[in-house]
Structures are given as structure tokens and as C-alpha cells.
Amino acid sequence: MERTPVVFIHGAWLHALSWESWAERFASRGFLALAPGWPGEAAAPPDLRKSPELLGRIGLDALTDHYAEIVRSFETAPVIVGHSVGGLIAQHLITADVGRAAVAIAPAPINGVPLREFESPAGLPSCAEHDPAEQLVSLSPEQFHRVFANTVEAEESDRLFDRYAVPAPRRLLVDVGCTGAPRSPRAVADVANPERGPLLLISGQEDRLVPDAATRAVYKQYGDTTAVTDLKQFADRAHSLVIDSGWRFVADYVLGWLDGHGIRAHPPEG
């Protein structure tokens, strides 16, 4: 029997391997779970950390086109689940009627919602402070703990860093608005589209990279559409909520939300 695909899109500073637990969980429920990497992304995080040069050329346009092509390649329209920049892409695609449904977790803001308007901790490397010739922006283990995995102990944060963390393309960070410079035209979503599939926005209330307030501001932009748009806020969770020890609570909420909207692992025949 044909299975409903779920395409997972990771965000900045993480490797596609960051979806390994989610993919296993969704597959165990009968979904066809896939976590395709970015263009040029090495198969393993250590390899990518050693040779990250190809990442430096990636911007939001290329990344959006890459995943749009993947999503469109299935006969059965997939569910799109994105984290951070992946959450922005998930919204862009679903509001363009690409995909069956979308889940945007701690998504980089769309449609001009400012990210830096909300409080950001000291120590986050700003791409504005880097030489424009530098193509990559890296986090140290200490920075990763402070701004990415700030709700877990240092030991767990270090394990997550070692397994999943990779440099992020400076060009991509600029495209999504980290410098305050004009964003890419792809950093948008058609919030008024009434025909699109269901959309779930998820935030962590202790997120220091994409604060809960930013996700709530995005949610308000969908207020005038009749299409299904839901918001789930997780207390005491940081930007690492898809990879840290509490990932299962988030994944199972998403599975329940999909089921509640009639999106099953095995679509009805005919």
C-alpha cells in the first residue's frame, strides 16, 4: 500500500542527520520518512565540518528550489516538516500549494517579521560582524549551548554539538535577515491563500535564536485566512527542541496533529 511521504528540512547549524530520531519515529507509524540534505551536504557531520566549502555557496533561493523539486517528485503529496530555516521553506512551499501539509518548527520569520527586534543573547556570532569574504559562520560548543541548546545541561549540549552541528552559510543567514539587510524574495509566504493544506507552527518558549514572540508574530499574519493554521508553544524548550532529549514530545504532538486533520500514513485508495 502506498505510504504518505514526510520530507524533513533541517535548518542552519545542523546536519540532515539531526532528523534521525524523527525519521525513525514517523517510519514506525507507517509514513515514508525522508531527510534529504542540502545541496553539496556531506553524508556525515564530521566530513562536512572538515570540508564545508560547498555549503558556502548556498542561499535561500537554491535551498528552496532544491526542496520544492524533492517535494514535487512524489506522486502522493508529502507532508513537509521544517526546523528553523527549514520552517521558513516549509511555509513558502505549502502556501504555494506545494505539499499536503506543513509543520514549521522554530521557523525563521517570514514576510518581514523582524528577528532582531526580539531579545537575543550575547555571544551569538552575527554574520554582519564577519568579513563578507568569509562564506561560513560557525558556532563553538559554548555558543551552541548558550544560544541553541540553552535548556539542557552542558554535557547533553556537547553531545548534540558533536553529532549534529555544522557551519552555516553566511549567504543564507543574510537571506533570512540576520543582518537587517534586505531579505531574499523567497523569505515570504502567501499567508492569505485559502486553498493550501494545513499548517502547524511550533515554538519553544525559551528559544534564543527564534524567540517565541517571533513565531507568534508570524502566526498572527495568518489570521485572515480560512485555511487551517495552528500554533503550539512548548514551555521550557529551546531551539534544540527537535534534537534534545525532549524531541519525542514534539514529534508525537506533530503525529497527533496530522492524525487530527485526517493526514494518515496510508492515504485512502481512490
Side-chain angles (χ1 to χ4, degrees):
M1 182 181 294
E2 190 173 8
R3 295 184 292 164
T4 298
V6 180
V7 175
F8 295 99
I9 308 175
H10 70 85
W13 290 299
L14 289 182
H15 186 274
L17 185 66
S18 59
W19 291 115
E20 61 180 337
S21 296
W22 285 68
E24 182 179 348
R25 186 70 168 163
F26 274 64
S28 73
R29 297 294 186 90
F31 289 94
L32 178 61
L34 306 100
W38 293 1
E41 183 173 309
D47 295 333
L48 186 57
R49 287 193 288 264
K50 290 177 184 176
S51 300
E53 295 80 13
L54 288 177
L55 280 186
R57 297 196 286 269
I58 295 178
L60 188 60
D61 283 8
L63 206 54
T64 302
D65 289 343
H66 174 69
Y67 283 104
E69 183 177 357
I70 291 171
V71 172
R72 289 189 174 110
S73 70
F74 295 95
E75 291 186 8
T76 299
V79 174
I80 308 167
V81 179
H83 174 242
S84 191
V85 173
L88 187 160
I89 293 171
Q91 291 177 81
H92 179 87
L93 294 180
I94 196 66
T95 61
D97 299 318
V98 180
R100 170 72 179 83
V103 179
I105 305 170
I110 58 164
N111 296 359
V113 171
L115 187 58
R116 292 306 180 197
E117 173 182 303
F118 309 103
E119 185 177 354
S120 182
L124 176 64
S126 169
C127 46
E129 298 170 354
H130 285 246
D131 185 330
E134 292 185 29
Q135 293 186 324
L136 296 165
V137 179
S138 298
L139 296 179
S140 69
E142 294 75 22
Q143 289 169 326
F144 184 85
H145 186 209
R146 184 161 55 246
V147 304
F148 204 105
N150 49 285
T151 58
V152 304
E153 297 296 329
E155 182 180 358
E156 180 181 354
S157 177
D158 287 345
R159 288 199 307 270
L160 297 173
F161 181 89
D162 289 341
R163 185 154 183 83
Y164 302 125
V166 296
R170 181 185 184 279
R171 177 179 175 184
L172 178 63
L173 298 176
V174 171
D175 281 350
V176 300
C178 83
T179 64
R183 301 184 195 183
S184 163
R186 297 292 186 90
V188 298
D190 181 5
V191 295
N193 179 4
E195 305 298 329
R196 63 160 169 84
L199 169 65
L200 171 64
L201 299 171
I202 292 178
S203 66
Q205 293 186 313
E206 299 299 324
D207 193 328
R208 291 176 173 175
L209 273 178
V210 181
D212 170 67
T215 303
R216 285 190 280 113
V218 168
Y219 174 65
K220 289 179 181 177
Q221 291 207 351
Y222 290 96
D224 292 333
T225 183
T226 57
V228 172
T229 312
D230 294 323
L231 171 67
K232 172 62 178 177
Q233 299 162 281
F234 282 90
D236 303 320
R237 302 302 301 279
H239 203 66
S240 61
L241 77 172
V242 297
I243 55 171
D244 61 34
S245 54
W247 70 268
R248 188 184 296 253
F249 294 103
V250 185
D252 284 352
Y253 184 89
V254 172
L255 284 164
W257 179 83
L258 291 171
D259 187 69
H261 289 288
I263 301 171
R264 312 281 194 253
H266 300 283
E269 297 182 3

